[in-house]
Amino acid sequence: MRTQVSFARRGREAAPYLFIAPFFVLFATFGLYPLLRTAWLSLHRWDLLAGPVEFTGLANYARLFADPFFYNALANTASIFLVGAVPQLVAALGIAALLDRPLRGRTAWQAVVLLPNVVPVVAVALVFTQLFMRDHGLVARILSALGAGPLDWQAHAWSAHLGVAIMVLWRWTGYHALLYLAAMQSVPRELHEAAALDGASRARSFRSVTLPGIRPTLLFTAVVSTIGGVQLFTEPRLFGGTSTGGNDRQFQTLVMYLHERGFEQLDAGYAATISWVLFALCALVALGNTALVRRLVGRW
């Protein structure tokens, strides 16, 4: 009898650990192990097909920090991120503020706003590549009607960055807008009514009540946008058709460079090194963006 009671008590004590165990097993398998394995690869000269060649220590990292192509890809990534992510979040905030007002057919508008996000990214890239064609694209025809000459979007760094940023902007603005809208609707209406009684304008109420109220969502979107911006791959890859990002690598991002070294040149050790530097960059930029947003919202 005592043994049965002891067994039942141990089962009750172990039950919570068993419930959360699947998460840790999956995390260790698909999160932690790839991280450690990539770190191990980065310390070797490693051919993707032949396997490890020799242990090189930190030589891959020294080689990477002296690689001009790495700095070119880093600059391109930063440029596309700034052009795409900042306007994206500002536009999403504006759309959410509009949808938060009394509006006929609000559900339909919300569905329309989310529509670009459910379109496959390959389709988005193909459509925009057609729109940005040099001679026969829709944008070229509009520029021609306005008296401007044809623009080869992929030939210049600024136009290529702008083209890729427009794709990212179009695809993700609605998604962030709905996140902001959900957060705005959770802000107590009594706070807005109190602000109105105190004579606050709609803009002042938005700055002093709405923005502080959705601060966790602002931080979340800043982090998610940072990670997505630093890991940008599909849009520029399909925009140019190669991993080099144009003839002069004018829109090659960090992940495209990683793909080129790892899967085209089969240099898995060097690609693993880029992965770890990319991971560190994601963490640093996300922390910086979080601190910046927290400071800005706190100031308002």
Side-chain angles (χ1 to χ4, degrees):
M1 183 66 181
R2 181 176 296 176
T3 304
Q4 290 180 347
V5 172
S6 177
F7 183 76
R9 189 179 65 184
R10 289 179 183 176
R12 286 196 299 272
E13 291 174 353
Y17 299 102
L18 292 176
F19 281 127
I20 62 174
F23 165 77
F24 287 102
V25 171
L26 290 175
F27 174 75
T29 305
F30 298 106
L32 188 59
Y33 173 73
L35 274 176
L36 298 177
R37 180 70 174 175
T38 306
W40 179 246
L41 257 66
S42 70
L43 302 177
H44 290 75
R45 191 157 64 87
W46 196 299
D47 185 89
L48 187 63
L49 299 180
V53 177
E54 65 174 330
F55 180 79
T56 57
L58 298 177
N60 279 333
Y61 291 90
R63 182 179 157 203
L64 179 66
F65 291 127
D67 185 352
F69 292 149
F70 166 71
Y71 290 105
N72 174 69
L74 180 62
N76 290 337
T77 303
S79 173
I80 296 173
F81 169 71
L82 290 175
V83 175
V86 177
Q88 173 193 141
L89 297 182
V90 173
L93 201 57
I95 292 172
L98 289 175
L99 291 176
D100 193 36
R101 302 177 65 178
L103 191 67
R104 181 176 296 177
R106 178 187 295 179
T107 304
W109 284 111
Q110 292 175 4
V112 170
V113 165
L114 186 62
L115 187 61
N117 191 249
V118 300
V119 177
V121 63
V122 175
V124 173
L126 289 176
V127 168
F128 275 92
T129 300
Q130 295 292 318
L131 291 175
F132 291 141
M133 285 181 66
R134 181 178 181 275
D135 296 319
H136 306 292
L138 178 61
V139 178
R141 292 180 182 178
I142 294 174
L143 291 175
S144 177
L146 296 175
L151 174 62
D152 190 349
W153 288 79
Q154 297 181 11
H156 311 284
W158 70 268
S159 56
H161 293 186
L162 181 61
V164 174
I166 289 173
M167 282 189 248
V168 176
L169 192 73
W170 186 82
R171 186 157 184 262
W172 288 103
T173 301
Y175 171 78
H176 291 302
L178 291 188
L179 290 180
Y180 290 147
L181 177 62
M184 287 177 184
Q185 291 178 343
S186 68
V187 177
R189 293 293 169 186
E190 293 82 2
L191 295 178
H192 292 286
E193 293 170 2
L197 290 175
D198 287 341
S201 64
R202 188 181 293 275
R204 177 66 179 173
S205 177
F206 183 77
R207 287 200 311 271
S208 301
V209 177
T210 304
L211 289 180
I214 65 171
R215 182 176 168 180
T217 306
L218 290 173
L219 295 176
F220 171 75
T221 54
V223 172
V224 170
S225 299
T226 301
I227 295 173
V230 175
Q231 296 181 347
L232 192 62
F233 174 74
T234 308
E235 289 88 348
R237 175 67 173 78
L238 294 174
F239 184 62
T242 65
S243 291
T244 57
N247 296 330
D248 294 328
R249 301 175 181 268
Q250 60 268 29
F251 55 95
Q252 184 183 49
T253 62
L254 278 175
V255 180
M256 291 172 70
Y257 187 48
L258 186 158
H259 183 272
E260 179 191 358
R261 298 306 298 256
F263 295 96
E264 295 181 6
Q265 300 181 11
L266 306 181
D267 191 350
Y270 198 68
T273 307
I274 299 174
S275 297
W276 261 96
V277 172
L278 194 63
F279 175 74
L281 277 174
C282 279
L284 286 176
V285 178
L287 287 174
N289 277 352
T290 301
L292 180 64
V293 171
R294 184 174 293 171
R295 185 170 184 175
L296 288 175
V297 175
R299 183 176 296 174
W300 291 330

